[in-house]
Amino acid sequence: MKKVDKEFSLEAVPQSSRHGFWRMLVVMLGLTFFSASMWSGGTLGEGLTFIQFMGIVLVGNLILGAYTGALAYMAAKTGLSTHLLARYAFGEKGSYLSSFMLAFTQIGWFGVGVAMFAVPVHKVTGIDTYVLIAIAGVLMSITAFFGMKALAIISFIAVPLITILGTTSVFKATESVGGMQGLLNYEPSEMMGLAAALTICIGSFISAGTLTPDFTRFANTKKSAVISTVIAFFIGNSLMFVFGAIGAIATGQADVSEVMFIQGLIVPAIIVLGLNIWTTNDNALYASGLGLSNITKIPKQKLVVFNGILGTLAAMWLYNNFVGWLNILGAALPPIGAIILADFFILNRGNYTPFAEVKHKKINWIAIIAWGLGVCAAQFIPGIPPINALLGSAFVHVVGTILVRKFAGNRMQLNKVEETKPAHVQG
């Protein structure tokens, strides 16, 4: 008897396996309540005035909310993961490019999270950092193996706890800088450019945002998928940035573990941040497993262990190159989601042929070229790299597809005309 894949790695999620709003909200909050976002917030807090910081977070998370909300709608309507949706735009084998990129960035996020847990625990206990990284990597990989059910349980525990801890840290930090007026009067020693700040804000979660369908495909309605996603990315991600920024303003440290250590909160932080990192890392491994499953056709669970080992081995390197990692994500990943969205909403007017009935082309070179040009737009056109990547890739994909369709239509008409001409008598 064939074993059923309960995570539906290579097919649409049936309505009988969908979940309600509250369960989806808990899972999505567990994804966005991530300590690395506090670190990103700390980086912004060190380089912006408080008013500038709040403006950047508002704009950045509005963009993320709109982007992820649209992807959530697609997923709930079709029941498909990001990687299976990508087959419509990129082709079956063309989707391997997006799956590879997304899977390995999530493995990278997993590695960052493991190190963010191990470093503060080492400071308190003296246990070797690499031993802690190995233990944390194994434990997080085990729960990721069990899929959506485990993600919901851990998120349900972690989200309230990180909210309490972050709020406590903010109150302590605000008191130490002279209250709200002290925050408003804060001036950074070295000002960060607003374009660079918005890149960090969007780039910090654009990779996870692009993978929104991996989770929201389990939503029982399109409305619950969109609302739970927008709340999670706008409110949840904004809170993480605020927690990190105010701590950095008060202590001069962007690293959240350093902030908690200075504030005397390191012991509860180890427990709470550990759970918090665990939720997002499980989401990262889950999503990376789906990506490699699309390429290898192996069910997601069997790939989680491999991905966990890889992320664990790279953990300290990723931890030490965090901001550079965000810049890579800000250029390479937005074009994937933009092309998927443009293909669905513009070129196919919000409707796809059911996955089980469609025969995808092998490679859609228009989408591949659009992705490459989107990356180039992020790198070489002045402005906000993730926004340049989103708009550039979507424009090229839509215009390129329309031109190719028009050319193919004209050629077909020409062939029909030629066929109807009377044959010349040769003589």
Side-chain angles (χ1 to χ4, degrees):
M1 182 174 164
K2 185 180 178 182
K3 188 176 180 180
V4 176
D5 177 13
K6 294 182 180 179
E7 298 301 324
F8 307 99
S9 309
L10 298 169
E11 59 185 309
V13 177
Q15 200 63 39
S16 59
S17 296
R18 306 288 188 100
H19 307 310
F21 170 78
W22 292 108
R23 184 166 177 178
M24 292 310 307
L25 180 61
V26 167
V27 170
M28 295 307 292
L29 284 172
L31 175 66
T32 59
F33 271 55
F34 184 31
S35 300
S37 294
M38 295 172 72
W39 193 353
S40 298
T43 302
L44 296 184
E46 287 184 320
L48 301 171
T49 67
F50 190 69
I51 296 298
Q52 287 174 330
F53 164 78
M54 292 303 295
I56 288 293
V57 169
L58 177 65
V59 173
N61 285 316
L62 278 174
I63 292 168
L64 278 175
Y67 175 68
T68 57
L71 287 168
Y73 178 93
M74 287 181 66
K77 183 168 184 175
T78 62
L80 299 174
S81 68
T82 308
H83 312 284
L84 299 187
L85 286 170
R87 292 192 188 184
Y88 288 89
F90 288 86
E92 183 176 353
K93 295 191 181 300
S95 71
Y96 295 175
L97 168 68
S98 60
S99 291
F100 179 85
M101 292 289 301
L102 292 167
F104 278 92
T105 52
Q106 289 309 295
I107 293 170
W109 269 125
F110 177 84
V112 170
V114 168
M116 286 190 73
F117 173 74
V119 169
V121 174
H122 164 72
K123 284 184 180 178
V124 174
T125 65
I127 299 172
D128 184 79
T129 305
Y130 290 96
V131 171
L132 291 167
I133 284 173
I135 293 170
V138 169
L139 292 176
M140 292 175 187
S141 299
I142 288 171
T143 50
F145 181 86
F146 292 102
M148 284 293 291
K149 188 173 182 179
L151 296 183
I153 293 170
I154 297 172
S155 297
F156 186 78
I157 298 168
V159 167
L161 291 178
I162 190 63
T163 305
I164 293 168
L165 178 67
T167 303
T168 303
S169 175
V170 163
F171 275 115
K172 280 179 169 284
T174 304
E175 286 176 1
S176 70
V177 297
M180 196 64 199
Q181 193 59 46
L183 286 176
L184 294 174
N185 292 337
Y186 170 75
E187 290 287 339
S189 57
E190 188 174 339
M191 189 70 73
M192 177 184 293
L194 296 182
L198 194 55
T199 298
I200 289 175
C201 184
I202 298 173
S204 67
F205 238 89
I206 197 75
S207 60
T210 304
L211 289 161
T212 295
D214 292 358
F215 310 102
T216 53
R217 65 199 172 108
F218 284 94
N220 57 4
T221 67
K222 296 185 286 292
K223 183 178 178 180
S224 70
V226 172
I227 293 174
S228 62
T229 299
V230 171
I231 289 173
F233 274 92
F234 185 67
I235 295 178
N237 206 34
S238 295
L239 278 177
M240 293 296 99
F241 271 84
V242 169
F243 292 162
I246 295 178
I249 289 170
T251 65
Q253 298 288 335
D255 189 333
V256 64
S257 65
E258 294 287 350
V259 173
M260 298 293 177
F261 191 83
I262 293 168
Q263 293 180 327
L265 296 171
I266 192 64
V267 174
I270 286 172
I271 299 169
V272 176
L273 292 179
L275 278 171
N276 174 246
I277 290 167
W278 201 324
T279 61
T280 306
N281 268 12
D282 273 8
N283 280 284
L285 275 192
Y286 180 89
S288 68
L290 288 175
L292 294 186
S293 179
N294 181 47
I295 297 171
T296 64
K297 307 301 182 285
I298 299 170
K300 184 261 328 174
Q301 290 95 328
K302 295 181 180 180
L303 294 165
V304 162
V305 176
F306 169 78
N307 295 351
I309 292 170
L310 197 57
T312 301
L313 291 174
M316 282 308 297
W317 181 87
L318 291 161
Y319 181 81
N320 291 325
N321 293 276
F322 181 64
V323 174
W325 180 248
L326 289 186
N327 289 332
I328 293 171
L329 301 186
L333 298 182
I336 295 171
I339 289 166
I340 291 172
L341 288 172
D343 194 77
F344 180 74
F345 285 106
I346 299 175
L347 295 175
N348 288 279
R349 303 190 179 187
N351 283 295
Y352 275 153
T353 303
F355 187 76
E357 300 172 15
V358 68
K359 182 173 176 59
H360 300 286
K361 62 173 66 175
K362 292 297 181 185
I363 299 176
N364 182 2
W365 289 106
I366 298 171
I368 302 293
I369 292 167
W371 174 81
L373 291 177
V375 173
C376 291
Q379 293 293 325
F380 303 116
I381 296 177
I384 315 298
I387 303 299
N388 292 345
L390 285 169
L391 297 178
S393 55
F395 177 80
V396 172
H397 181 66
V398 170
V399 172
T401 301
I402 290 172
L403 290 175
V404 167
R405 286 178 180 174
K406 188 174 181 180
F407 176 77
N410 289 341
R411 190 170 181 178
M412 190 177 295
Q413 288 295 325
L414 184 62
N415 288 339
K416 285 182 179 178
V417 170
E418 290 294 329
E419 288 171 4
T420 57
K421 285 183 179 179
H424 293 286
V425 179
Q426 294 183 359

